[in-house]
Amino acid sequence: MNLSKGELNGHTFLAKLITQYAYLHRKAIGPAAERYIEQLGLRTGEWIESFYEDPLNWTVDEYVHVIVDIKNSIGGHFEIVSVNPDHVIVRAKECPFGEFVKDAPHLCKMTSSVLGGIAARKFGYGKVSLRQRIALGHSICEVAVYFQPDERETGDIYENVPITPENGDPFAWEEETINMLNNELRRSDEMVVSLLQELEELKRGKS
C-alpha cells in the first residue's frame, strides 16, 4: 500500500508501527504471539468498558452498539448486521489498522479477544467467529459473537474471564499471567528446536 504524504498522519503511522511490530513478533516467537495479543485484547476491552455508562448491566442491544462504537472510535468502519438474544453479527468495510493489517493477520485476535472478553464479562460466555477478514484478503470483516454455547460455527471461546477489582488497573499484569506467556514462548522455542532437529535427521538420512 503506497501512501501520499498527505495521507501520513498519526493514525497511519501508529497502524504501520503496530502491524510491523506484530509481524516481527510473530516471526520471532511463532504461534505464541497470538496468546500475547489475546491477553492484551482481554485487558484492553475491560479498560474500554469504563468509558461507557453502567458497564456492569448491559443488554444485548447495548452490547452490540458498544462494540460497534469501540471499533469506529479507533478508526474502523463497523455496522450492525443483526441482533438476536443469543448472538449478534457485525460487519466492517474498513479495519482500524487499514490495509496494513494484511502484514500481521494474527492481530485479528485483538478483535476476537476484545469482543469476546466483553461478552464473557457481561453475559458469562462469549464465542467469536471471525467469518470474513480483511486481513486475509476479504473485502469486508464479518464477525459473529455468541453469548451461549452453540454448534452452528466454530470460534474463539471466552469464559471465566477475570474481572479487575473496583478501582483497579486491568493493565497491572500478574506474575502468573507473565509466567504463562513466558511458558508459551518457551514452548514455541522448543517447537522450533525440535523441527530443526528433525530437518537435520532427515538430511543425515538422505546422505
Side-chain angles (χ1 to χ4, degrees):
M1 179 182 181
N2 294 318
L3 293 172
S4 69
K5 187 175 180 181
E7 293 174 291
L8 179 60
N9 53 49
H11 181 78
T12 56
F13 173 76
L14 286 175
K16 186 65 173 178
L17 190 67
I18 292 169
T19 53
Q20 289 306 300
Y21 176 80
Y23 169 80
L24 291 172
H25 188 230
R26 197 177 197 285
K27 280 289 186 181
I29 73 170
E34 290 193 15
R35 293 289 287 151
Y36 285 79
I37 296 295
E38 179 183 79
Q39 285 296 315
L40 188 57
L42 289 171
R43 290 162 186 268
T44 300
E46 186 177 7
W47 172 68
I48 290 173
E49 290 171 25
S50 66
F51 287 83
Y52 295 87
E53 294 181 358
D54 196 18
L56 296 177
N57 299 290
W58 289 349
T59 63
V60 168
D61 192 61
E62 288 169 331
Y63 165 83
V64 72
H65 279 87
V66 166
I67 64 172
V68 166
D69 186 60
I70 288 171
K71 286 297 185 177
N72 291 341
S73 295
I74 60 174
H77 189 171
F78 277 66
E79 60 186 14
I80 299 169
V81 176
S82 65
V83 181
N84 305 278
D86 64 333
H87 76 285
V88 299
I89 301 172
V90 297
R91 186 177 294 155
K93 299 176 183 176
E94 186 175 349
C95 174
F97 295 111
E99 292 294 309
F100 300 132
V101 75
K102 293 178 181 178
D103 293 335
H106 66 291
L107 279 173
C108 295
K109 193 72 172 183
M110 176 69 76
T111 292
S112 173
S113 55
V114 168
L115 305 192
I118 294 176
R121 282 188 291 273
K122 302 312 173 192
F123 310 115
Y125 178 91
K127 180 169 77 172
V128 181
S129 174
L130 302 175
R131 294 175 169 179
Q132 296 188 68
R133 299 161 60 188
I134 292 171
L136 297 183
H138 297 129
S139 60
I140 62 168
C141 288
E142 184 170 285
V143 183
V145 184
Y146 291 84
F147 309 121
Q148 58 191 43
D150 191 291
E151 300 301 322
R152 279 175 285 182
E153 56 186 315
T154 59
D156 299 324
I157 295 174
Y158 301 90
E159 52 188 339
N160 301 317
V161 174
I163 298 176
T164 303
E166 189 174 357
N167 300 321
D169 179 4
F171 295 109
W173 297 88
E174 301 89 352
E175 195 65 29
E176 180 182 347
T177 301
I178 294 173
N179 288 335
M180 179 271 292
L181 292 173
N182 283 336
N183 286 334
E184 290 285 343
L185 176 59
R186 177 179 53 77
R187 280 194 288 270
S188 179
D189 288 342
E190 290 173 351
M191 179 184 68
V192 172
V193 170
S194 175
L195 288 172
L196 289 173
Q197 290 174 341
E198 288 179 14
L199 286 172
E200 285 299 320
E201 290 173 2
L202 285 172
K203 288 179 182 177
R204 285 196 292 268
K206 290 180 179 180
S207 59

